[in-house]
Amino acid sequence: EVWGMLYVAEGSTLGGNFIRKALRRNPNFEGIDAYTFLGCYGEEIGSRWKEFLAALEQAHEKLGDKAAFLRGAEVAFQTLMDYAESSEGS
């Protein structure tokens, strides 16, 4: 299940990078660097994602429990959603 949780966490770096690129194209954010944390891997994002997927594939071959991977991903995603909902208005 931990590999599924890691998939959600690592996948968020792709989403963060997408958001960062969109902000950089927006003239309203010109000269603002406060969102650079969204691009934590910088130019290495593609290679890091490929490395992670290779490790995930190796773990799947070794452990072989696809249902556990999916459960872990679902738990991680739902936990993040629950946290976001509980912190609204904070």
Side-chain angles (χ1 to χ4, degrees):
E1 289 185 14
V2 172
W3 279 101
M5 293 175 182
L6 289 171
Y7 179 83
V8 171
E10 191 65 21
S12 70
T13 63
L14 294 175
N17 193 57
F18 178 81
I19 292 168
R20 182 181 62 87
K21 285 182 178 182
L23 290 173
R24 291 176 109 179
R25 288 190 302 266
N26 186 323
N28 295 320
F29 290 95
E30 192 171 314
I32 297 174
D33 270 352
Y35 53 83
T36 56
F37 69 93
L38 293 170
C40 63
Y41 291 148
E43 298 301 317
E44 296 178 12
I45 190 149
S47 62
R48 295 243 179 147
W49 180 249
K50 288 176 186 174
E51 288 174 24
F52 175 74
L53 290 179
L56 182 68
E57 184 63 33
Q58 287 178 342
H60 180 262
E61 288 174 9
K62 183 178 178 181
L63 303 172
D65 189 357
K66 184 176 181 179
F69 282 84
L70 294 175
R71 269 192 316 273
E74 289 170 357
V75 166
F77 189 76
Q78 191 59 55
T79 299
L80 292 170
M81 293 300 293
D82 292 346
Y83 177 76
E85 288 175 8
S86 71
S87 64
E88 284 181 14
S90 300

